Amino acid sequence: MYAYLRVAYYLGCLLKHTRWSRERLSKFQNQKVREIVNYAYRHVPFYHRKFRQLGLRPEDIKGVEDLKKLPIIRRKELQKNAGELISDEFNIDKLKKVSTSGSTGKPLFTYLTKSEDAFRKAKLLRANIVCGQKPRDKWVVITAPQHEAEPLKLQRLLGIYAPIPVSVFESASEQLSKIERIRPDVLDGYSSSLLLLAKEAEKSGVDTIRPKVVIGGAELIDRSSKKYLEKVFQAPFYDEYACVELERLAWQCEERNQYHIDADSIVMEFVDEDGEEVAPGETGEIVCTSLFNYAMPFIRYAIGDLGKASEEENCPCGRTFPLMKVIEGRKDSLIFLPDGRVLSPLAIGWIMEFYKYYQYIDQYRVVQRKIDFFKFIIKKKNSIDEEVMKAELIAHLRRMLKLGASDVEFEVEFVDNIPLDRSGKLRKVISEICNSQSI
């Protein structure tokens, strides 16, 4: 009962925060930055050592602007120093442990107090409520079993904001059968899983899944896929942005255009390869400082994604949280061309949209093996001639990218199935050379 009331309390506060004045929000962020920096210095060996190495004291960090005095922390460094990341005020055995997907082969474990876990649940619910979710809505979530939300007993009993999990590792037909029986009001999940479900529904002639809203996340989704989901399910699609370490980071409001950053729980920076802040509208690496993680603080943590801060300050919805324009994807999904150009996964998606036979593609994946070698893996919908598709695709790519025959090599392979990765996601773009390149 207490845990349920704690989530409800946090949720009420968080919903009010979106209407704060910018002055109040800024003052709140600066205060929280001072508190978390002071706490990390005094109680977390990893950060204490970092400060000492730089000759800094907590009082040198007076607010958000001073965060740039601190180094950017990356996942590999946290993994390497795992034994020094937990506050000395907590017994690690009594903390909740959550894990990243480990798509790089080695997961990062995040540790949470009960209060922090309740706060994360409230953060997630706030974004969904803004999208239109109601307390008693039937809420289906397609996700990896290890990331399934854990509803409180009272949630399950009352059916209030209680997620109904469907495993991402089940076949699309199995998912469709389960979800059709449930008839959800809210259909939530990995964006690629929702897309596969929509294709299965259309193929099977199932038109009885009519949620009020569709909510996607965990992966990039292109414009044509959003439109397709809305057409199949006859409902608006909302995109949300999160990471396992920090939970919800940004979300779309009813305007469904840009993303509101959760500025009352994180400070989000967009930086270049030298760690300097980029201008609004420019692509930068996303670096986050959590304002609520005390058991295991995250200060200037590079989450591995690229994005753009918006040039616009105001959203028509009236909420005052700062806006981000677009999430451009993982750094390990960037495409590097021999002439120095760097393309995001979204750019690849837009190029594919203009391909003559795009409507005949069910799924695709692009793998960059070398700076001058790309492999396109395609699962097609019908019996159209593969050699015709291949020749047209290669010619299309050369035209769009302005590449000559001697600049790069394109290989096209047609397959019956493109497997999900270990996290249950269907990545469209994979770069095997990203670690040797800089942006």
Side-chain angles (χ1 to χ4, degrees), residues 44-107:
V44 182
F46 174 78
Y47 287 106
H48 183 85
R49 177 164 47 82
K50 283 285 182 186
F51 270 76
R52 296 293 294 272
Q53 288 172 346
L54 293 167
L56 291 173
R57 299 278 299 175
E59 50 266 30
D60 295 321
I61 311 300
K62 297 179 173 61
V64 172
E65 287 300 312
D66 289 329
L67 284 173
K68 63 184 69 172
K69 296 178 182 178
L70 302 175
I72 292 173
I73 306 298
R74 301 187 182 279
R75 180 181 294 189
K76 285 184 179 179
E77 187 175 5
L78 295 185
Q79 290 169 330
K80 184 178 178 181
N81 295 277
E84 297 185 320
L85 302 177
I86 308 303
S87 164
D88 59 17
E89 289 198 319
F90 298 101
N91 179 345
I92 193 170
D93 295 327
K94 294 184 179 180
L95 297 173
K96 179 177 179 178
K97 180 171 71 173
V98 295
S99 169
T100 60
S101 62
S103 57
T104 59
K106 185 178 180 182

Side-chain angles (χ1 to χ4, degrees), residues 344-390:
S344 75
L346 281 179
I348 298 298
W350 292 328
I351 288 171
M352 292 299 289
E353 280 186 46
F354 289 100
Y355 169 48
K356 181 178 179 180
Y357 299 112
Y358 183 65
Q359 69 268 31
Y360 301 121
I361 293 178
D362 190 30
Q363 298 171 27
Y364 71 88
R365 174 173 289 165
V366 184
V367 182
Q368 182 172 19
R369 296 275 163 79
K370 296 187 294 184
I371 191 72
D372 58 355
F373 180 80
F374 298 85
K375 182 172 184 177
F376 279 71
I377 304 168
I378 294 175
K379 177 186 177 185
K380 57 190 181 70
K381 291 181 179 178
N382 57 23
S383 58
I384 187 170
D385 187 271
E386 293 180 359
E387 289 302 316
V388 171
M389 286 187 72
K390 176 180 176 180

